[in-house]
Structures are given as structure tokens and as C-alpha cells.
């Protein structure tokens, strides 16, 4: 019996090793400015005292991640010095040597072990189908492929260059611990994650509401509402102690040095523009597009004077502000209010009627997408915060599988402009096609006999991505418009993908409100 159990998981190391070898093939591929960002952080944390880490500004790519990630870079720098010491000098801006490239690429591959372990734990949590003996058709196997071989992570981390796999490992491991009812461990992992990268504040409301409602309150009334008398101060104290301890460990030294305001100013640079240099496919991309369209129409109808229109960029990457031409300009406070309003129904839903850990996971997805849709200066890569956890629900539910296919195909294609070099063009196309084909075939087979995964209009929309890809990647570079309108492919990609992401967000909300309630907790 034990041998059978061991054999049933023998495929997992093969998948993990296979994708790790694939990552190594990208060592000499194109890398973005993020490569220099992390090299500079290696140099800062290695060669400067801690008191200078968040003040150093020789490079424009200043340290703007929380302190735990700075210590992570410091740890990497202790290994980096054995590859090439010159990469650890702050004044060596844009330093790229073969040894530097090798080290930084391998550091991403090796730290992905956290992600691999987290995927293993998530696969243990999915509900396996009865009578399914074929390994390839098991939900756990499909989930492992969807996560380990995720197209977005492959191109963002191992071509573009970042450490998202390492960070997503903490997120998925935290989710897995909650699915296993190990809530304190899940809270600890998420607290660590927040102190590694603060973008995960996007999903903090889901954690806060879920743990308070389903962990600190130990009983429900017969109608499923909260039993206020069942509140456990000890459980709240335990959760609070975990969060405070991790934050004290992370920020404590900087508080002691009186540098907390300086650190926070680096973490939350609100002088950046509403949108990133490449518009993330969210509501503000549609808003910007509408504003530009109205401005052009107004000029042609002689309702507006072109000379009077603001010429400031809407895509401040470093430190820029802007004004819209026709529509009201959007401030950080407006985006905050919109974000809170977008996630409030999800948070209220799991407070009023808890639906267990999977209800929490659905709320987490809505918080991630709500923040992505309405947040300030959102990066296009942030869509992965929703795509990866949604994989867990996709292998268990036909409806979620349909949402996953729309969101993943749209969200992944929106990352295409990140890889714009000719040499990497066939790589991203092939990887995208392989992932899409596998996702559609595996999920269709997994949910066979339960109806179609996609509605006809959804199929038409996704096929439209093919037309967009051909137009932007093949036809446009050969056309005279390339010189006159170089931004056009980015605009078309962002706006078209915004529709798919917005649709997925709405469908997830509908699925949350339709989901069956969990049985009330009784002692």
C-alpha cells in the first residue's frame, strides 16, 4: 500500500526537474532592466551599511522592496561574490558579465524550490476524482502542470527576470496551509510574504476577514451567522503576535534608526503615474483609451484646441504626474476608494456566510483582481496573483475552469509586450501555445460530461486574441504606422485584454455569490 502511494507521486519530481532544466535554457536570453535593478540591490546590500540601504540613490533603480527582501538580496550577495565581485560595486551601473548573468539566472532557478514545494502542497489539497487511475487525468497532476509550467512565470522570471516564483511559493504555501486548516502557519507565511514584497497587500483583506471570522470566532449560529459569544481573544492574540513579530523583525532595525518614513517613502512612491509605462489591462487602460478617443474627437469637431490639451504622460514610470485631457484626472485616493469598493462585497460575503477555505480562496482572487483592476500604477505582471491561485479552483470546478481559461489566456497574452526582442519571439509564441493547448485539453477532459467550459461569445473573444497577435506582432512591424504610431500595439493589446480581465472579475463575483454556504460551525 505504501509503495503504491509513493509511486502515485513519482511523476512530480519529473515535472519539477523538467521545468527547471527548461529554465536553464534561458540563461543567455534577453533580460529587462529588472536584471540591473536586482544587481544594484545586490551591490547595495553587500557593500553598504544597513543604515544606507534605503538612502542610496546612485542608480535610478533604488531599493523599494520591504526589508526582508533586502536581507534576501544580502544573502544572495554572499554567494554572488564567488562569481564576480565587480557586480557587487554600487558604482558599476548596468554591469553585465557572463558570470553575473549566470549567477543571477541560477539564483532565480534555485530559489524556485520554494515554489516547487508550495505546488506540491497545493496538489495534496485538491479533491481527486473517484475511480481516476490515469495519472495524466488526475486533478493533482493537471494542477502541477498548470502551476509549474505556468507560461507567465516562465517568461517573467526566466526571460524578463524577476523572483516571482520564490514569492508565489510563499503565497501558495500559505493558501495550502489554510486549505489544510493550519491557520497559524498560513498566517505566518503570509506575514513573511508581505515583508518580502508589499504588492501582496492586494490580498491582505481576504486574509484579515477570513482569519477573524473563521478562526477567531469558533462557532456559528444555526442560520450560519457569527456567534459573537464564541470570540476567542487567545486566537486573536496568537495571530497578532505572529504579524507583529514578523514586522518587528523586518522593520525593527529601521525603526530603531529613525528611518521608517524613508523606507515607507520608497515602498509607496505615489508620485508615479496612474499607469505603468505599458498599461496594465485594467479599468484605467479603458479609461485612458476613452479619454484619448474623446480628445481626438473633440479636436476634429473643433470642440477642443489641440494646443490647450495637457501633454504630460499618463505613464510615469519613475517620478511623473499627469492630467487627463477630457475626463477627470484620477488621483491615488480615488484609486484607493475604487479598489476598496470593488473588494468590499467579497469581504462582506465571507464574513456574513463563511464558505470554508475555498470561499477564502475565492475572496483572495477577487481582492487580487479588484486591486489589479482599480489600483494605482499597477504592473501588468500583477495579474499572476490571480491566475496562479485560480488554478486550484479550476481543477475542481467546471465553472471555475471556464473563468480560468479566459483569464489565463487573456492575462498571459497581455504579458507578450514584455518580451519584444526578435530572438525570443518564437520562444514566447511556442510556450504560450503549448500552455494554452494543454490548459484547454486537460481541463476539458477533467470536466468531461459536465457541459462546455466556455460560452460561444467567450470562444469568439479568445479567437480575437489571435487576430490581435497577428496584427501587433506580424503586420504592424512591417507597416508604415510603426514610425508614426509606435505605441499602437501596446494600446491595442492592453485595451483588448482589459475586456477579458474585467469579464473574468465579474464572473468570479457571480460564482462567489452563487456558491453554497458551508455548514455552521458547532462545538
Amino acid at each position: 500500500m505504501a509503495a503504491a502511494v509513493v509511486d502515485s507521486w513519482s511523476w512530480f519530481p519529473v515535472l519539477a526537474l523538467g521545468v527547471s532544466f527548461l529554465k536553464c535554457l534561458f540563461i543567455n536570453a534577453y533580460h529587462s532592466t529588472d536584471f540591473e535593478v536586482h544587481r544594484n540591490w545586490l551591490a547595495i546590500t553587500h557593500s553598504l551599511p544597513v543604515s544606507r540601504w534605503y538612502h542610496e540613490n546612485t542608480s535610478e533603480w533604488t531599493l523599494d522592496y520591504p526589508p526582508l527582501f533586502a536581507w534576501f538580496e544580502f544573502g544572495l550577495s554572499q554567494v554572488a561574490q564567488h562569481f564576480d565581485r565587480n557586480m557587487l560595486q554600487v558604482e558599476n551601473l548596468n554591469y553585465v558579465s557572463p558570470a553575473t548573468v549566470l549567477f543571477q539566472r541560477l539564483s532565480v532557478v534555485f530559489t524556485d524550490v520554494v515554489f516547487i514545494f508550495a505546488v506540491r502542497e497545493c496538489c495534496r489539497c485538491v479533491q481527486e476524482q473517484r475511480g481516476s487511475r490515469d495519472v495524466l487525468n488526475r486533478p493533482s497532476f493537471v494542477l502541477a502542470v498548470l502551476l509549474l509550467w505556468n507560461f507567465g512565470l516562465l517568461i517573467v522570471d526566466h526571460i524578463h527576470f524577476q523572483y516571482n516564483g520564490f514569492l508565489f511559493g510563499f503565497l501558495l504555501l500559505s493558501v495550502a496551509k489554510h486549505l489544510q486548516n493550519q491557520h497559524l502557519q498560513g498566517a505566518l507565511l503570509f506575514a513573511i510574504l508581505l515583508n518580502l514584497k508589499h504588492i501582496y497587500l492586494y490580498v491582505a483583506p481576504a486574509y484579515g476577514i477570513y482569519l477573524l471570522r473563521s478562526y477567531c470566532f469558533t462557532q456559528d449560529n444555526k442560520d450560519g451567522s457569527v456567534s459573537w459569544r464564541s470570540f476567542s481573544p487567545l486566537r486573536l492574540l496568537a495571530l497578532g503576535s505572529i504579524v507583529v513579530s514578523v514586522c518587528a523583525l523586518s522593520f525593527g532595525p529601521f525603526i530603531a534608526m529613525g528611518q521608517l518614513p524613508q523606507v515607507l517613502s520608497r515602498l509607496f512612491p505615489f508620485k508615479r503615474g496612474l499607469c505603468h509605462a505599458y498599461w496594465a489591462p485594467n479599468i484605467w487602460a479603458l479609461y485612458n483609451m476613452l479619454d484619448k478617443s474623446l480628445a481626438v474627437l473633440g479636436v476634429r469637431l473643433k470642440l477642443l484646441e489641440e494646443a490647450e490639451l495637457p501633454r504630460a504622460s499618463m505613464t510615469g514610470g519613475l517620478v511623473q504626474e499627469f492630467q487627463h485631457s477630457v475626463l477627470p484626472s484620477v488621483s491615488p485616493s480615488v484609486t484607493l476608494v475604487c479598489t476598496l469598493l470593488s473588494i468590499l462585497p467579497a469581504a462582506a460575503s465571507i464574513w456574513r456566510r463563511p464558505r470554508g477555505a475555498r470561499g477564502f480562496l475565492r475572496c483572495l482572487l477577487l481582492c487580487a483582481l479588484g486591486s489589479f483592476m482599480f489600483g494605482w500604477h499597477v504592473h501588468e505582471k500583477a495579474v499572476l496573483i490571480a491566475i496562479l491561485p485560480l488554478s486550484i479552483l479550476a481543477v475542481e470546478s467546471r465553472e471555475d475552469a471556464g473563468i480560468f481559461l479566459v483569464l489565463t489566456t487573456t492575462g498571459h497574452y497581455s504579458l507578450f509586450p514584455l518580451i519584444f526582442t526578435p530572438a525570443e519571439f518564437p520562444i514566447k509564441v511556442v510556450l504560450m501555445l503549448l500552455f494554452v493547448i494543454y490548459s484547454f485539453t486537460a481541463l476539458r477532459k477533467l470536466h468531461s460530461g459536465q457541459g462546455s467550459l466556455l460560452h460561444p461569445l467567450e470562444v469568439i473573444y479568445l479567437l480575437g486574441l489571435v487576430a490581435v497577435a497577428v496584427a501587433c506582432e506580424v503586420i504592424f512591424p512591417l507597416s508604415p504606422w510603426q514610425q508614426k504610431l509606435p505605441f499602437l500595439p501596446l494600446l491595442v493589446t492592453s485595451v483588448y485584454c482589459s475586456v477579458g480581465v474585467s469579464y473574468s472579475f465579474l464572473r468570479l463575483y457571480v460564482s462567489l455569490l452563487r456558491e453554497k454556504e458551508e455548514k455552521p460551525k458547532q462545538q
Side-chain angles (χ1 to χ4, degrees):
M1 185 68 175
V5 172
V6 172
D7 184 62
S8 66
W9 283 93
S10 61
W11 49 266
F12 188 84
V14 176
L15 283 180
L17 287 174
V19 76
S20 298
F21 284 128
L22 176 65
K23 295 169 184 176
C24 291
L25 297 179
F26 302 144
I27 286 178
N28 292 316
Y30 153 82
H31 55 76
S32 71
T33 53
D34 281 327
F35 183 89
E36 168 61 14
V37 170
H38 288 282
R39 185 216 60 81
N40 186 52
W41 294 358
L42 287 172
I44 290 173
T45 56
H46 183 83
S47 59
L48 297 179
V50 177
S51 60
R52 293 294 307 158
W53 286 3
Y54 287 93
H55 287 276
E56 167 58 38
N57 60 0
T58 301
S59 168
E60 62 182 337
W61 311 117
T62 53
L63 181 58
D64 59 6
Y65 274 25
L68 275 191
F69 197 90
W71 286 109
F72 168 71
E73 293 277 6
F74 173 79
L76 290 179
S77 73
Q78 304 308 303
V79 182
Q81 64 184 331
H82 299 293
F83 282 75
D84 186 348
R85 282 188 166 274
N86 290 327
M87 79 171 87
L88 302 176
Q89 296 179 19
V90 175
E91 61 274 13
N92 278 355
L93 301 182
N94 299 311
Y95 181 79
V96 180
S97 68
T100 302
V101 172
L102 179 64
F103 168 74
Q104 290 200 227
R105 289 294 197 188
L106 289 180
S107 68
V108 181
V109 175
F110 279 98
T111 54
D112 272 358
V113 69
V114 178
F115 182 71
I116 292 172
F117 178 70
V119 172
R120 179 74 163 80
E121 289 301 301
C122 288
C123 290
R124 289 179 176 274
C125 298
V126 298
Q127 301 168 358
E128 296 285 4
Q129 296 174 343
R130 293 182 179 180
S132 178
R133 296 184 178 182
D134 184 2
V135 171
L136 300 181
N137 294 327
R138 290 179 184 172
S140 55
F141 180 87
V142 175
L143 177 60
V145 176
L146 295 179
L147 291 175
L148 291 176
W149 292 77
N150 180 271
F151 166 77
L153 267 187
L154 285 175
I155 67 165
V156 170
D157 277 12
H158 302 280
I159 299 181
H160 182 80
F161 192 86
Q162 279 189 345
Y163 290 92
N164 291 291
F166 169 72
L167 297 167
F168 277 120
F170 282 92
L171 178 64
L172 292 181
L173 195 55
S174 174
V175 169
K177 292 303 178 183
H178 286 302
L179 292 173
Q180 297 165 1
N181 292 318
Q182 299 177 21
H183 299 300
L184 291 181
Q185 291 184 35
L188 174 62
L189 289 163
F190 184 68
I192 293 173
L193 177 62
L194 278 183
N195 283 274
L196 284 168
K197 190 170 183 178
H198 52 302
I199 193 175
Y200 293 96
L201 281 169
Y202 284 0
V203 298
Y207 274 87
I209 297 296
Y210 172 68
L211 287 171
L212 181 62
R213 176 65 175 86
S214 298
Y215 179 73
C216 294
F217 287 94
T218 59
Q219 278 186 298
D220 295 335
N221 294 320
K222 291 182 178 180
D223 62 355
S225 61
V226 62
S227 173
W228 296 99
R229 294 182 178 180
S230 68
F231 176 71
S232 171
L234 289 178
R235 290 192 171 194
L236 180 62
L237 181 63
L239 286 174
S241 299
I242 288 172
V243 175
V244 170
S245 298
V246 174
C247 290
L249 182 65
S250 177
F251 286 91
F254 299 94
I255 295 174
M257 292 184 289
Q259 293 188 10
L260 183 60
Q262 174 64 20
V263 174
L264 294 179
S265 70
R266 287 284 184 86
L267 299 186
F268 302 100
F270 285 114
K271 289 186 178 181
R272 293 181 178 179
L274 172 65
C275 296
H276 191 241
Y278 158 46
W279 298 352
N282 61 12
I283 199 70
W284 304 125
L286 299 174
Y287 189 83
N288 291 345
M289 180 61 182
L290 179 60
D291 181 74
K292 284 185 175 290
S293 300
L294 291 175
V296 171
L297 184 63
V299 170
R300 290 190 175 182
L301 296 177
K302 297 183 179 181
L303 299 175
L304 297 172
E305 292 291 336
E306 186 174 3
E308 297 178 1
L309 295 178
R311 296 184 178 276
S313 170
M314 287 187 291
T315 59
L318 293 173
V319 182
Q320 295 181 9
E321 297 180 353
F322 66 87
Q323 290 182 335
H324 285 89
S325 301
V326 179
L327 298 176
S329 294
V330 180
S331 66
S333 58
V334 169
T335 64
L336 177 61
V337 171
C338 290
T339 300
L340 292 177
L341 290 176
S342 72
I343 66 177
L344 185 60
S349 177
I350 65 168
W351 173 267
R352 291 180 61 252
R353 294 291 185 269
R355 296 167 175 84
R358 280 167 175 76
F360 152 71
L361 179 53
R362 202 173 295 279
C363 181
L364 181 150
L365 293 170
L366 287 166
C367 287
L369 278 179
S371 301
F372 181 83
M373 292 293 297
F374 298 98
W376 178 266
H377 197 74
V378 173
H379 287 238
E380 64 289 334
K381 299 179 285 290
V383 72
L384 295 175
I385 301 178
I387 288 176
L388 290 169
L390 181 56
S391 307
I392 300 173
L393 297 179
V395 299
E396 294 183 341
S397 161
R398 182 191 65 81
E399 183 178 3
D400 291 324
I403 300 172
F404 173 83
L405 292 176
V406 174
L407 179 62
T408 303
T409 307
T410 306
H412 281 168
Y413 179 73
S414 74
L415 302 175
F416 256 43
L418 291 176
I419 312 298
F420 53 83
T421 49
E424 280 69 34
F425 175 75
I427 296 176
K428 68 178 182 180
V429 171
V430 170
L431 288 178
M432 175 76 175
L433 286 175
L434 288 175
F435 188 83
V436 168
I437 291 170
Y438 178 80
S439 299
F440 273 78
T441 55
L443 290 175
R444 185 182 295 117
K445 196 167 185 179
L446 200 60
H447 301 292
S448 60
Q450 301 178 34
S452 176
L453 297 181
L454 296 175
H455 304 299
L457 287 179
E458 294 171 342
V459 174
I460 293 172
Y461 170 78
L462 292 180
L463 288 176
L465 283 173
V466 178
V468 171
V470 172
C472 293
E473 302 283 348
V474 180
I475 298 176
F476 183 82
L478 303 176
S479 71
W481 291 349
Q482 186 178 22
Q483 300 299 325
K484 297 179 181 179
L485 302 169
F487 61 86
L488 190 58
L490 294 178
L491 186 148
V492 171
T493 299
S494 181
V495 171
Y496 193 87
C497 292
S498 297
V499 176
V501 176
S502 302
Y503 172 78
S504 301
F505 177 59
L506 294 175
R507 274 202 65 185
L508 274 170
Y509 247 119
V510 171
S511 69
L512 174 72
L513 299 177
R514 285 180 177 176
E515 193 175 27
K516 294 180 180 180
E517 299 174 10
E518 188 187 39
K519 292 181 180 180
K521 293 182 292 184
Q522 302 291 335
Q523 279 190 334

